[in-house]
Amino acid sequence: MATQLLQLKYPEIRNYLGGSFVDAHLPLLDVYDPSLGSVISRVPLSGAEEVDAAVGHAAKALPAWSHTPIKERVQVFYRYKTLLERHIDELAALVTEENGKIASEARAEVLKSAELTEFACSLPQIASGEVLEVSRGVECRIERFPVGIVASIAPFNFPNMVPNWSIPNAIALGNCMILKPSELVPLSAGRIAELLKEAGLPDGVFQVVHGGRDVVEAICDHPKIAAVSFVGSTKVAKIVYRRATSSLKRCLALGGAKNHLIVMPDADPEMTSSNVVASMSGCAGQRCMAASVMMAVAKTDHIIERMVDHAKRMTLGHDLGPVISAESKARITRYINEAEAAGAKVLVDGRNARVAGREDGFYVGPTIIDHVTPDMAIAKEEVFGPVLVIIRAKDVDDALRVENASPYGNAASVFTESGGVARRVMENASAGMVGVNVGVPVPREPFSFGGWNESRFGVGDITGRGSIEFWTQSKKMTTKWNREAGTNWMS
Ligand code: NAD
């Protein structure tokens, strides 16, 4: 339900169709600044009609864009990357305002968008086809063609970066895109649209349709949308994957996570403790790559003590931003309360956290809970807040058993000085992205991002080389121009 306040910091958000922001008379939802707990804008809740209009614009733009040579298409992204860098202060401030993350995290997010765009600029070099003379005078070649009109559905936790996981690659590869940002963080998408236009992207190649579930369902059902990428919770990833594929689209749906960090007794105490705390608390724990469960193997109390020290030294509001909403804060607090009631020991308590002057902000302080058992909800379910639970394990295999039992499979890490132990975890962790002495093992371009198990539905990865297959379809062509070539079974 939208607030009746007249003076909002940002005017009502509008959909972006055919290269312009358009007015529409749609129901509105309040958009909050989570650090203040106050309303800053309102976002329209679009439906099937708006999705259809977006598809109409994309369909008009598609023939010319898909036939533009890729080396020309990427020129837009060279300029877009420069614009992202030039406007980093403003873009990062927008991310901080709508999502709450602190300034350095927001800047890192925009820099990551620039890196993703840089990768797209290399696509002419790495997405080229193949050709081979397969028998005398007969050539087989493979060329990549765009899929057509595609859609990208984003979550709230990276308002700038996650849309840029798909925009540069999908569009550079010749597709026209409809972006559905999270209705909780709709501001960044409008600036992305403006910068793409300034970079020279033709009107209609990129659309933004705001809203929630209705837009997502309309995207999944629309007969002219050929591919859907989704990033969000596992619950919704399953809904989207089933619905999009049942209407015969290709779909890559990335879901939630429960990431395990295995800490061995030989791990470097300072590096490990600071990395683990940074991993669990960065972006207020609202990262699908955040440390969530620490498997403390054997004698690791000296490392845990340092972690507690690091966490206690963090200043809320300065080192750590708020979580996204009052509902999130209540959910996270409930998990901590339940774990404590079940016998876990809260070493660092972020409940009832307050920031002076921002008393209505949705803050949760860093929280470390020891002696959690694998059967507790907080050990199994995604908490999505700055909360780390510690489960004690007797050896690395014991730790791996707990990690392997998780239905998720985004990231896992091991902290150790032993190459043998590291290799054991690299081979046996049931996760798509594994780190050794790295708290947030996000692969950087050209390596691809993607989890396993219930952290990803569909084939392939969403970024880097792994995304090329998803955003293109290959055509296999066999040609014979040499009349002297003999006649054989291929003739
Ligand atoms: P979410 O699943 O609630 O929402 C994601 C998108 O789906 C939003 O655009 C939302 O409008 C839409 N949506 C919500 N409910 C829907 C429904 N019932 N039907 C159709 N569409 C619906 O996720 P969120 O809370 O915005 O983001 C946090 C989640 O995203 C966490 O679970 C996190 O782990 C996950 N995430 C995963 C990755 C990854 O790479 N695996 C990356 C970032 C975030």
Side-chain angles (χ1 to χ4, degrees), residues 153-157 165 180-183 211-213 216 230-233 236 239 254-257 288 382 384 410 449 455:
I153 300 162
F156 78 78
N157 61 333
W165 274 0
K180 206 299 277 177
S182 164
E183 64 275 38
R213 181 180 174 161
V216 173
F230 170 90
V231 181
S233 62
V236 182
I239 294 170
L254 271 58
C288 62
E382 184 176 41
F384 224 52
N410 228 30
F449 187 104
S455 293

